[in-house]
Amino acid sequence: MALYAIIRRDGWRTGDDLKEAAGRSSAVGDNEMSDDIKWIRSYVLAEESGSLGTVCIYEASSPEKIREHADRADLPVTEIIPIADTVVVREDPVAAA
């Protein structure tokens, strides 16, 4: 398994749409493809169009399995980029309540 960044541009109109997509993603990844893909984290992007996109970090057996997961969960995939290394300068800040 390797780490990948998945860019999903302009994928959702609202936060509720994104929450529904996250539910589908978790269900497919955890219940159908757990040997091939693991969702690590996502950063939600405020797109210029007003919609939402994401940069998702996944551990996966291959880019093909990432695309299969996206197809099964009805998720967009703009680009898949292999991650060469991780440098953590600071932990992600905690979102305000």
Side-chain angles (χ1 to χ4, degrees):
M1 299 265 269
L3 282 178
Y4 296 91
I6 298 98
I7 300 172
R8 307 178 196 278
R9 301 306 304 244
D10 293 302
W12 302 276
R13 288 176 294 149
T14 68
D16 287 341
D17 292 342
L18 181 55
K19 285 180 187 176
E20 288 177 20
R24 292 191 310 271
S25 178
S26 292
V28 171
D30 295 347
N31 301 327
E32 299 175 24
M33 299 184 69
S34 61
D35 290 340
D36 289 304
I37 195 162
K38 290 180 179 44
W39 182 12
I40 307 298
R41 72 170 41 101
S42 292
Y43 297 95
V44 178
L45 309 175
E47 301 281 10
E48 288 183 18
S49 67
S51 65
L52 301 173
T54 59
V55 174
C56 301
I57 307 302
Y58 275 75
E59 187 176 39
S61 59
S62 70
E64 294 77 22
K65 289 297 181 179
I66 292 170
R67 290 195 187 282
E68 179 182 340
H69 169 265
D71 287 344
R72 288 188 191 190
D74 192 27
L75 303 171
V77 174
T78 306
E79 188 173 1
I80 299 170
I81 305 165
I83 295 175
D85 200 357
T86 301
V87 177
V88 178
V89 176
R90 292 178 187 84
E91 296 297 321
D92 287 346
V94 176

Coordinates of all heavy atoms in Angstrom, one line a residue:
M1 N 0.9 -1.2 0.0 CA 0.0 0.0 0.0 C 0.9 1.2 0.0 O 1.9 1.3 0.6 CB -0.9 0.0 1.2 CG -1.8 -1.2 1.3 SD -3.5 -0.9 0.6 CE -4.3 -0.3 2.1
A2 N 0.5 2.3 -0.7 CA 1.2 3.5 -0.8 C 0.2 4.7 -0.5 O -1.0 4.5 -0.5 CB 1.7 3.7 -2.2
L3 N 0.8 5.8 -0.2 CA -0.1 7.0 0.0 C -0.3 7.8 -1.3 O 0.6 7.9 -2.1 CB 0.6 7.9 1.0 CG 0.5 7.5 2.5 CD1 1.3 8.5 3.4 CD2 -0.9 7.4 3.0
Y4 N -1.5 8.3 -1.4 CA -1.9 9.1 -2.6 C -2.7 10.4 -2.1 O -3.4 10.3 -1.2 CB -2.7 8.3 -3.5 CG -2.1 7.2 -4.1 CD1 -2.1 5.9 -3.5 CD2 -1.4 7.3 -5.3 CE1 -1.5 4.8 -4.1 CE2 -0.7 6.2 -5.9 CZ -0.8 4.9 -5.3 OH -0.2 3.8 -5.8
A5 N -2.5 11.5 -2.8 CA -3.3 12.6 -2.7 C -4.3 12.6 -3.9 O -3.9 12.4 -5.0 CB -2.5 13.9 -2.8
I6 N -5.6 12.7 -3.6 CA -6.7 12.7 -4.6 C -7.3 14.1 -4.6 O -7.8 14.5 -3.6 CB -7.7 11.6 -4.4 CG1 -7.1 10.2 -4.4 CG2 -8.8 11.7 -5.4 CD1 -6.8 9.7 -3.1
I7 N -7.2 14.7 -5.7 CA -7.8 16.0 -5.9 C -9.2 15.9 -6.5 O -9.3 15.2 -7.5 CB -6.9 17.0 -6.7 CG1 -5.6 17.1 -6.0 CG2 -7.6 18.3 -6.9 CD1 -4.5 17.8 -6.8
R8 N -10.2 16.4 -5.9 CA -11.5 16.4 -6.4 C -12.0 17.8 -6.5 O -12.4 18.4 -5.5 CB -12.4 15.6 -5.4 CG -11.9 14.2 -5.1 CD -12.8 13.5 -4.1 NE -12.2 12.3 -3.5 CZ -12.1 11.1 -4.0 NH1 -12.6 10.9 -5.2 NH2 -11.6 10.1 -3.3
R9 N -12.0 18.4 -7.7 CA -12.4 19.8 -7.9 C -13.9 20.0 -8.1 O -14.5 19.2 -8.8 CB -11.6 20.4 -9.1 CG -10.1 20.4 -9.0 CD -9.5 21.0 -7.7 NE -9.8 22.4 -7.5 CZ -9.0 23.4 -7.5 NH1 -7.7 23.2 -7.8 NH2 -9.4 24.6 -7.2
D10 N -14.5 21.0 -7.5 CA -15.9 21.4 -7.8 C -16.8 20.2 -7.7 O -17.7 20.0 -8.5 CB -16.0 22.0 -9.2 CG -15.3 23.4 -9.2 OD1 -15.6 24.2 -8.4 OD2 -14.4 23.5 -10.1
G11 N -16.6 19.3 -6.7 CA -17.4 18.1 -6.6 C -18.8 18.2 -6.0 O -19.7 17.4 -6.3
W12 N -19.0 19.3 -5.1 CA -20.2 19.3 -4.4 C -20.7 20.8 -4.2 O -19.9 21.7 -4.1 CB -20.0 18.7 -3.0 CG -19.5 17.3 -3.1 CD1 -20.3 16.2 -3.2 CD2 -18.1 16.9 -3.1 NE1 -19.5 15.1 -3.3 CE2 -18.2 15.5 -3.3 CE3 -16.9 17.5 -3.1 CZ2 -17.0 14.7 -3.4 CZ3 -15.8 16.8 -3.1 CH2 -15.8 15.4 -3.3
R13 N -22.0 20.9 -4.3 CA -22.6 22.2 -4.2 C -22.7 22.7 -2.7 O -22.6 23.9 -2.4 CB -24.0 22.3 -4.8 CG -24.0 22.2 -6.3 CD -25.4 22.1 -6.9 NE -25.9 20.8 -6.5 CZ -27.2 20.6 -6.3 NH1 -28.1 21.5 -6.5 NH2 -27.6 19.4 -5.9
T14 N -23.0 21.8 -1.8 CA -23.2 22.1 -0.4 C -22.4 21.2 0.5 O -22.0 20.1 0.1 CB -24.7 22.1 0.0 OG1 -25.1 20.7 -0.1 CG2 -25.5 22.9 -1.0
G15 N -22.3 21.6 1.8 CA -21.7 20.8 2.8 C -22.5 19.5 3.0 O -22.0 18.4 3.3
D16 N -23.9 19.6 2.9 CA -24.7 18.4 3.0 C -24.4 17.4 1.9 O -24.3 16.2 2.1 CB -26.2 18.7 3.0 CG -26.6 19.4 4.3 OD1 -25.9 19.2 5.3 OD2 -27.7 20.0 4.3
D17 N -24.2 17.9 0.7 CA -23.8 17.0 -0.5 C -22.5 16.3 -0.1 O -22.3 15.1 -0.4 CB -23.6 17.8 -1.8 CG -24.9 18.4 -2.3 OD1 -26.0 17.9 -1.9 OD2 -24.8 19.3 -3.1
L18 N -21.5 17.0 0.4 CA -20.3 16.5 0.8 C -20.4 15.4 1.9 O -19.7 14.4 1.8 CB -19.3 17.6 1.2 CG -17.9 17.2 1.5 CD1 -17.2 16.4 0.4 CD2 -17.0 18.4 1.9
K19 N -21.2 15.7 2.9 CA -21.4 14.7 3.9 C -22.0 13.4 3.4 O -21.6 12.3 3.8 CB -22.4 15.3 5.0 CG -21.7 16.3 5.9 CD -22.7 16.8 6.9 CE -22.0 18.0 7.7 NZ -23.0 18.6 8.6
E20 N -23.0 13.5 2.4 CA -23.5 12.3 1.8 C -22.4 11.5 1.1 O -22.4 10.3 1.1 CB -24.7 12.7 0.9 CG -25.9 13.1 1.6 CD -27.0 13.6 0.6 OE1 -26.9 13.2 -0.6 OE2 -27.9 14.3 1.0
A21 N -21.6 12.3 0.3 CA -20.5 11.6 -0.4 C -19.5 10.9 0.6 O -19.0 9.8 0.3 CB -19.8 12.7 -1.3
A22 N -19.2 11.6 1.7 CA -18.3 11.0 2.7 C -18.9 9.7 3.2 O -18.2 8.7 3.4 CB -18.1 12.0 3.8
G23 N -20.2 9.6 3.4 CA -20.9 8.4 3.9 C -20.7 7.3 2.9 O -20.4 6.1 3.2
R24 N -20.9 7.6 1.6 CA -20.8 6.6 0.5 C -19.3 6.1 0.5 O -19.0 4.9 0.3 CB -21.2 7.2 -0.8 CG -22.7 7.4 -1.0 CD -23.1 7.7 -2.4 NE -22.3 8.8 -3.1 CZ -22.5 10.1 -3.0 NH1 -23.5 10.5 -2.4 NH2 -21.7 10.9 -3.7
S25 N -18.4 7.1 0.6 CA -17.0 6.7 0.5 C -16.6 5.8 1.6 O -15.9 4.8 1.4 CB -16.1 8.0 0.6 OG -14.8 7.7 0.5
S26 N -17.0 6.1 2.8 CA -16.7 5.3 4.0 C -17.3 3.9 3.8 O -16.6 2.9 4.1 CB -17.2 5.9 5.3 OG -16.5 7.1 5.6
A27 N -18.6 3.8 3.4 CA -19.2 2.5 3.2 C -18.5 1.6 2.2 O -18.3 0.5 2.5 CB -20.7 2.7 2.8
V28 N -18.2 2.2 1.1 CA -17.5 1.4 0.0 C -16.1 1.0 0.5 O -15.7 -0.1 0.4 CB -17.4 2.2 -1.3 CG1 -16.5 1.5 -2.3 CG2 -18.8 2.3 -1.9
G29 N -15.3 2.0 1.1 CA -14.0 1.7 1.5 C -13.9 0.7 2.6 O -13.1 -0.2 2.6
D30 N -14.8 0.9 3.6 CA -14.7 0.0 4.8 C -15.4 -1.3 4.6 O -14.9 -2.3 5.2 CB -15.4 0.7 6.0 CG -14.7 2.0 6.5 OD1 -13.5 2.2 6.0 OD2 -15.3 2.8 7.2
N31 N -16.4 -1.4 3.8 CA -17.2 -2.6 3.7 C -16.9 -3.4 2.4 O -17.1 -4.6 2.5 CB -18.7 -2.3 3.7 CG -19.1 -1.6 5.0 OD1 -18.5 -1.9 6.1 ND2 -20.1 -0.7 4.9
E32 N -16.5 -2.8 1.4 CA -16.3 -3.5 0.1 C -14.8 -3.6 -0.3 O -14.5 -4.5 -1.1 CB -17.1 -2.8 -1.0 CG -18.6 -2.8 -0.7 CD -19.4 -2.0 -1.8 OE1 -18.8 -1.8 -2.9 OE2 -20.4 -1.4 -1.5
M33 N -14.0 -2.6 0.1 CA -12.7 -2.6 -0.5 C -11.6 -2.4 0.6 O -10.5 -1.8 0.3 CB -12.6 -1.4 -1.5 CG -13.5 -1.5 -2.7 SD -13.2 -0.2 -3.9 CE -11.6 -0.6 -4.5
S34 N -11.8 -2.9 1.8 CA -10.9 -2.6 2.9 C -9.5 -3.1 2.7 O -8.6 -2.7 3.4 CB -11.5 -3.1 4.2 OG -11.7 -4.5 4.2
D35 N -9.3 -4.1 1.9 CA -8.0 -4.7 1.6 C -7.2 -3.8 0.6 O -6.0 -3.9 0.5 CB -8.1 -6.1 1.1 CG -8.5 -7.1 2.1 OD1 -8.4 -6.8 3.3 OD2 -9.0 -8.2 1.7
D36 N -7.9 -2.9 -0.1 CA -7.3 -2.1 -1.1 C -7.2 -0.6 -0.9 O -6.4 0.1 -1.6 CB -8.0 -2.4 -2.5 CG -7.7 -3.7 -3.0 OD1 -6.6 -4.1 -3.2 OD2 -8.7 -4.5 -3.2
I37 N -8.0 -0.1 0.0 CA -8.0 1.4 0.2 C -8.4 1.8 1.6 O -9.3 1.1 2.2 CB -9.0 2.0 -0.9 CG1 -8.8 3.5 -1.0 CG2 -10.4 1.6 -0.6 CD1 -9.4 4.0 -2.3
K38 N -7.8 2.8 2.1 CA -8.1 3.3 3.4 C -8.0 4.9 3.3 O -7.0 5.5 2.9 CB -7.1 2.9 4.4 CG -7.2 1.4 4.8 CD -6.2 1.0 5.8 CE -6.3 -0.5 6.2 NZ -6.5 -1.4 5.1
W39 N -9.1 5.5 3.7 CA -9.2 7.0 3.7 C -8.5 7.5 5.0 O -8.9 7.1 6.1 CB -10.7 7.3 3.7 CG -11.0 8.8 3.7 CD1 -10.2 9.8 3.4 CD2 -12.3 9.3 3.9 NE1 -10.9 11.0 3.4 CE2 -12.2 10.7 3.7 CE3 -13.6 8.8 4.2 CZ2 -13.3 11.6 3.9 CZ3 -14.7 9.6 4.3 CH2 -14.5 11.0 4.2
I40 N -7.6 8.3 4.8 CA -6.8 8.9 6.0 C -7.4 10.2 6.4 O -7.7 10.4 7.6 CB -5.3 9.0 5.6 CG1 -4.7 7.7 5.0 CG2 -4.5 9.5 6.8 CD1 -4.7 6.6 6.0
R41 N -7.5 11.2 5.5 CA -8.1 12.5 5.9 C -8.4 13.2 4.6 O -7.9 12.9 3.5 CB -7.1 13.3 6.7 CG -5.9 13.8 6.0 CD -5.1 14.9 6.8 NE -4.9 14.5 8.2 CZ -3.8 13.9 8.8 NH1 -2.8 13.7 8.0 NH2 -3.8 13.7 10.0
S42 N -9.2 14.3 4.8 CA -9.5 15.2 3.7 C -9.4 16.6 4.1 O -9.7 16.9 5.3 CB -10.9 14.9 3.1 OG -10.9 13.6 2.5
Y43 N -9.1 17.5 3.2 CA -9.2 18.9 3.4 C -10.2 19.4 2.4 O -10.2 19.1 1.2 CB -7.8 19.6 3.1 CG -6.8 19.1 4.1 CD1 -5.9 18.1 3.7 CD2 -6.6 19.7 5.3 CE1 -5.0 17.6 4.6 CE2 -5.7 19.3 6.2 CZ -4.8 18.2 5.8 OH -3.9 17.8 6.7
V44 N -11.2 20.2 2.9 CA -12.3 20.7 2.0 C -11.8 22.0 1.5 O -11.3 22.9 2.2 CB -13.6 20.8 2.8 CG1 -14.7 21.4 2.0 CG2 -14.0 19.5 3.4
L45 N -12.0 22.2 0.1 CA -11.6 23.4 -0.6 C -12.8 24.3 -0.9 O -13.8 23.8 -1.4 CB -10.9 23.0 -1.9 CG -9.8 22.0 -1.8 CD1 -9.3 21.6 -3.2 CD2 -8.7 22.5 -1.0
A46 N -12.6 25.6 -0.6 CA -13.7 26.5 -1.1 C -13.3 27.0 -2.5 O -12.4 27.7 -2.7 CB -13.7 27.7 -0.1
E47 N -14.0 26.4 -3.5 CA -13.7 26.7 -4.9 C -14.2 28.1 -5.3 O -15.1 28.6 -4.7 CB -14.4 25.6 -5.8 CG -14.0 24.2 -5.4 CD -12.6 23.8 -6.0 OE1 -11.9 24.7 -6.5 OE2 -12.3 22.6 -6.0
E48 N -13.5 28.6 -6.3 CA -13.9 30.0 -6.8 C -15.3 30.0 -7.3 O -16.0 31.0 -7.2 CB -12.9 30.4 -7.9 CG -11.6 30.7 -7.5 CD -10.7 31.2 -8.6 OE1 -11.2 31.6 -9.7 OE2 -9.4 31.2 -8.4
S49 N -15.8 28.9 -7.8 CA -17.2 28.8 -8.3 C -18.2 28.8 -7.2 O -19.4 29.0 -7.4 CB -17.4 27.5 -9.1 OG -17.3 26.4 -8.2
G50 N -17.8 28.7 -5.9 CA -18.7 28.7 -4.8 C -19.0 27.2 -4.4 O -19.7 27.0 -3.3
S51 N -18.6 26.3 -5.1 CA -18.8 24.9 -4.8 C -17.6 24.4 -3.9 O -16.8 25.2 -3.5 CB -18.9 24.0 -6.0 OG -17.7 24.0 -6.7
L52 N -17.7 23.2 -3.5 CA -16.7 22.6 -2.6 C -15.9 21.5 -3.4 O -16.4 20.8 -4.2 CB -17.3 21.9 -1.4 CG -18.1 22.9 -0.5 CD1 -18.8 22.1 0.6 CD2 -17.3 23.9 0.1
G53 N -14.6 21.5 -3.1 CA -13.7 20.4 -3.6 C -13.0 19.8 -2.4 O -13.2 20.3 -1.3
T54 N -12.2 18.8 -2.7 CA -11.4 18.2 -1.6 C -10.0 17.8 -2.1 O -9.8 17.6 -3.3 CB -12.1 17.0 -1.0 OG1 -12.3 16.0 -2.0 CG2 -13.4 17.3 -0.3
V55 N -9.1 17.8 -1.2 CA -7.8 17.1 -1.3 C -7.9 16.0 -0.3 O -8.0 16.2 0.9 CB -6.6 18.0 -1.1 CG1 -5.3 17.2 -1.1 CG2 -6.6 19.1 -2.1
C56 N -7.9 14.7 -0.8 CA -8.0 13.6 0.1 C -6.7 12.8 0.2 O -6.1 12.6 -0.9 CB -9.1 12.7 -0.4 SG -10.7 13.5 -0.5
I57 N -6.4 12.3 1.3 CA -5.2 11.5 1.5 C -5.7 10.1 1.7 O -6.5 9.8 2.6 CB -4.3 11.9 2.7 CG1 -3.9 13.4 2.5 CG2 -3.1 11.1 2.8 CD1 -3.2 13.8 1.3
Y58 N -5.2 9.2 0.9 CA -5.6 7.8 0.9 C -4.4 6.9 0.9 O -3.4 7.2 0.3 CB -6.5 7.3 -0.3 CG -7.9 7.7 -0.2 CD1 -8.4 9.0 -0.3 CD2 -8.9 6.6 0.0 CE1 -9.8 9.2 -0.3 CE2 -10.2 6.9 0.1 CZ -10.7 8.2 -0.1 OH -12.0 8.5 0.0
E59 N -4.5 5.7 1.6 CA -3.6 4.7 1.4 C -4.3 3.7 0.5 O -5.4 3.3 0.8 CB -3.3 4.0 2.8 CG -2.2 3.0 2.8 CD -1.8 2.5 4.1 OE1 -2.8 2.3 5.0 OE2 -0.6 2.2 4.4
A60 N -3.6 3.2 -0.5 CA -4.2 2.4 -1.5 C -3.2 1.4 -2.2 O -2.0 1.7 -2.2 CB -5.0 3.2 -2.6
S61 N -3.7 0.3 -2.7 CA -2.9 -0.6 -3.3 C -2.5 -0.2 -4.7 O -1.5 -0.6 -5.3 CB -3.5 -2.0 -3.4 OG -4.8 -2.0 -4.0
S62 N -3.3 0.7 -5.3 CA -2.9 1.2 -6.7 C -3.9 2.4 -7.0 O -4.9 2.5 -6.5 CB -3.1 0.1 -7.7 OG -4.5 -0.2 -7.9
P63 N -3.4 3.2 -8.0 CA -4.3 4.3 -8.5 C -5.6 3.7 -9.1 O -6.7 4.3 -9.0 CB -3.5 5.0 -9.6 CG -2.1 4.7 -9.2 CD -2.1 3.4 -8.6
E64 N -5.5 2.5 -9.7 CA -6.7 1.9 -10.3 C -7.8 1.6 -9.2 O -9.0 1.8 -9.4 CB -6.3 0.6 -11.0 CG -5.5 0.8 -12.3 CD -4.0 1.1 -12.0 OE1 -3.5 0.8 -10.9 OE2 -3.4 1.7 -12.9
K65 N -7.3 1.2 -8.0 CA -8.2 0.9 -6.9 C -8.9 2.2 -6.4 O -10.0 2.2 -6.0 CB -7.6 0.1 -5.8 CG -7.2 -1.3 -6.2 CD -8.5 -2.1 -6.5 CE -8.2 -3.5 -6.8 NZ -9.4 -4.3 -7.1
I66 N -8.1 3.3 -6.5 CA -8.7 4.6 -6.1 C -9.8 5.0 -7.0 O -10.9 5.4 -6.6 CB -7.6 5.7 -6.1 CG1 -6.6 5.4 -4.9 CG2 -8.2 7.1 -5.9 CD1 -5.4 6.3 -4.9
R67 N -9.6 4.8 -8.3 CA -10.6 5.1 -9.3 C -11.8 4.1 -9.2 O -13.0 4.6 -9.3 CB -10.0 5.0 -10.7 CG -9.1 6.2 -11.0 CD -8.8 6.3 -12.5 NE -7.8 7.3 -12.7 CZ -7.9 8.6 -12.6 NH1 -9.1 9.1 -12.4 NH2 -6.9 9.4 -12.8
E68 N -11.6 2.9 -8.9 CA -12.7 1.9 -8.7 C -13.5 2.3 -7.5 O -14.7 2.3 -7.5 CB -12.1 0.5 -8.5 CG -13.2 -0.5 -8.2 CD -12.6 -1.9 -8.0 OE1 -11.5 -2.2 -8.3 OE2 -13.4 -2.7 -7.4
H69 N -12.8 2.7 -6.4 CA -13.5 3.2 -5.2 C -14.4 4.4 -5.5 O -15.5 4.5 -5.2 CB -12.5 3.5 -4.1 CG -13.1 4.2 -2.9 ND1 -13.0 5.6 -2.8 CD2 -13.7 3.8 -1.9 CE1 -13.6 6.0 -1.7 NE2 -14.0 4.9 -1.1
A70 N -13.8 5.4 -6.3 CA -14.5 6.6 -6.6 C -15.7 6.3 -7.5 O -16.8 6.8 -7.3 CB -13.6 7.5 -7.4
D71 N -15.6 5.3 -8.4 CA -16.7 4.9 -9.3 C -17.8 4.3 -8.4 O -19.0 4.6 -8.6 CB -16.3 3.9 -10.4 CG -15.5 4.6 -11.5 OD1 -15.5 5.8 -11.6 OD2 -14.8 3.8 -12.2
R72 N -17.5 3.4 -7.6 CA -18.5 2.7 -6.7 C -19.2 3.7 -5.8 O -20.3 3.5 -5.5 CB -17.8 1.6 -5.9 CG -17.4 0.4 -6.6 CD -16.9 -0.6 -5.6 NE -16.2 -1.8 -6.2 CZ -15.9 -2.9 -5.6 NH1 -16.2 -3.0 -4.3 NH2 -15.3 -3.9 -6.2
A73 N -18.4 4.7 -5.3 CA -19.0 5.6 -4.3 C -19.5 6.9 -5.0 O -20.0 7.8 -4.3 CB -17.9 6.0 -3.3
D74 N -19.5 7.0 -6.3 CA -20.0 8.1 -7.1 C -19.3 9.4 -6.7 O -19.9 10.4 -6.3 CB -21.5 8.2 -7.0 CG -22.0 9.2 -8.0 OD1 -21.4 9.4 -9.1 OD2 -23.1 9.8 -7.7
L75 N -17.9 9.3 -6.7 CA -17.1 10.5 -6.3 C -16.3 11.0 -7.5 O -15.8 10.2 -8.3 CB -16.1 10.1 -5.2 CG -16.6 9.5 -4.0 CD1 -15.5 9.0 -3.1 CD2 -17.5 10.6 -3.2
P76 N -16.1 12.3 -7.7 CA -15.2 12.8 -8.7 C -13.8 12.5 -8.4 O -13.4 12.4 -7.3 CB -15.5 14.3 -8.8 CG -15.9 14.6 -7.4 CD -16.6 13.4 -6.8
V77 N -13.0 12.4 -9.5 CA -11.5 12.3 -9.3 C -10.9 13.2 -10.4 O -11.1 12.9 -11.6 CB -11.0 10.9 -9.5 CG1 -9.4 10.9 -9.5 CG2 -11.5 9.9 -8.4
T78 N -10.3 14.3 -10.0 CA -9.6 15.2 -10.9 C -8.2 14.7 -11.2 O -7.7 14.7 -12.3 CB -9.6 16.6 -10.4 OG1 -10.9 17.0 -10.1 CG2 -9.0 17.6 -11.4
E79 N -7.5 14.3 -10.1 CA -6.1 13.9 -10.2 C -5.7 13.0 -9.1 O -6.2 13.2 -8.0 CB -5.2 15.2 -10.3 CG -3.8 14.9 -10.6 CD -3.0 16.2 -10.8 OE1 -3.5 17.3 -10.6 OE2 -1.8 16.1 -11.0
I80 N -4.9 12.0 -9.3 CA -4.3 11.2 -8.3 C -2.8 11.4 -8.4 O -2.1 11.2 -9.4 CB -4.6 9.7 -8.6 CG1 -6.1 9.5 -8.6 CG2 -3.9 8.8 -7.6 CD1 -6.6 8.1 -9.0
I81 N -2.2 11.7 -7.2 CA -0.8 12.0 -7.1 C -0.1 11.1 -6.1 O -0.6 11.2 -4.9 CB -0.5 13.5 -6.8 CG1 -1.2 14.4 -7.8 CG2 1.0 13.8 -6.7 CD1 -1.4 15.8 -7.3
P82 N 0.9 10.3 -6.4 CA 1.6 9.5 -5.4 C 2.3 10.5 -4.4 O 2.9 11.5 -4.8 CB 2.6 8.7 -6.2 CG 2.1 8.7 -7.6 CD 1.4 10.0 -7.8
I83 N 2.3 10.1 -3.1 CA 3.0 10.9 -2.1 C 4.3 10.3 -1.9 O 4.4 9.1 -1.5 CB 2.1 11.0 -0.8 CG1 0.8 11.8 -1.1 CG2 3.0 11.6 0.3 CD1 -0.1 11.8 0.1
A84 N 5.4 11.1 -2.1 CA 6.7 10.6 -1.9 C 7.2 10.5 -0.5 O 8.0 9.6 -0.1 CB 7.7 11.4 -2.8
D85 N 6.7 11.5 0.3 CA 7.2 11.6 1.7 C 6.2 12.5 2.5 O 5.4 13.2 1.9 CB 8.6 12.1 1.8 CG 9.3 11.8 3.1 OD1 8.7 11.2 4.0 OD2 10.5 12.1 3.2
T86 N 6.3 12.5 3.8 CA 5.5 13.3 4.6 C 6.4 14.1 5.5 O 7.3 13.6 6.2 CB 4.6 12.5 5.5 OG1 3.7 11.7 4.7 CG2 3.7 13.4 6.4
V87 N 6.2 15.4 5.6 CA 6.9 16.3 6.5 C 5.9 17.0 7.3 O 5.0 17.8 6.8 CB 7.8 17.4 5.7 CG1 8.4 18.3 6.6 CG2 8.8 16.7 4.8
V88 N 5.9 16.8 8.6 CA 4.9 17.4 9.5 C 5.6 18.5 10.3 O 6.5 18.2 11.1 CB 4.2 16.4 10.5 CG1 3.3 17.1 11.4 CG2 3.5 15.3 9.7
V89 N 5.4 19.7 10.0 CA 6.0 20.8 10.7 C 5.1 21.1 12.0 O 5.7 21.3 13.1 CB 6.1 22.1 9.8 CG1 6.6 23.3 10.6 CG2 6.9 21.8 8.6
R90 N 3.8 21.1 11.8 CA 2.9 21.3 12.9 C 1.7 20.4 12.6 O 1.3 20.2 11.5 CB 2.4 22.7 13.0 CG 3.5 23.7 13.4 CD 2.9 25.1 13.4 NE 4.0 26.1 13.7 CZ 4.8 26.6 12.8 NH1 4.7 26.2 11.5 NH2 5.8 27.4 13.1
E91 N 1.1 19.9 13.7 CA -0.2 19.2 13.5 C -1.2 20.1 13.0 O -1.2 21.3 13.1 CB -0.6 18.6 14.9 CG 0.4 17.6 15.5 CD 0.5 16.3 14.6 OE1 -0.5 15.9 14.1 OE2 1.6 15.8 14.5
D92 N -2.2 19.5 12.3 CA -3.3 20.3 11.8 C -4.0 21.0 13.0 O -4.2 20.4 14.0 CB -4.4 19.4 11.1 CG -3.9 18.9 9.8 OD1 -2.9 19.4 9.2 OD2 -4.6 18.0 9.3
P93 N -4.4 22.3 12.8 CA -5.0 23.0 13.8 C -6.4 22.4 14.1 O -7.1 21.9 13.1 CB -5.1 24.5 13.3 CG -4.9 24.4 11.9 CD -4.1 23.1 11.6
V94 N -6.9 22.5 15.3 CA -8.3 22.1 15.6 C -9.3 23.1 15.1 O -9.1 24.3 15.4 CB -8.4 21.9 17.1 CG1 -9.8 21.5 17.5 CG2 -7.4 20.8 17.6
A95 N -10.3 22.6 14.4 CA -11.3 23.6 13.9 C -12.1 24.2 15.0 O -12.4 23.5 16.0 CB -12.2 22.8 12.9
A96 N -12.5 25.4 14.9 CA -13.3 26.1 15.9 C -14.7 25.5 15.9 O -15.2 25.1 14.9 CB -13.4 27.6 15.6
A97 N -15.2 25.4 17.1 CA -16.5 24.8 17.3 C -17.6 25.7 16.8 O -17.6 26.8 16.7 CB -16.8 24.4 18.7

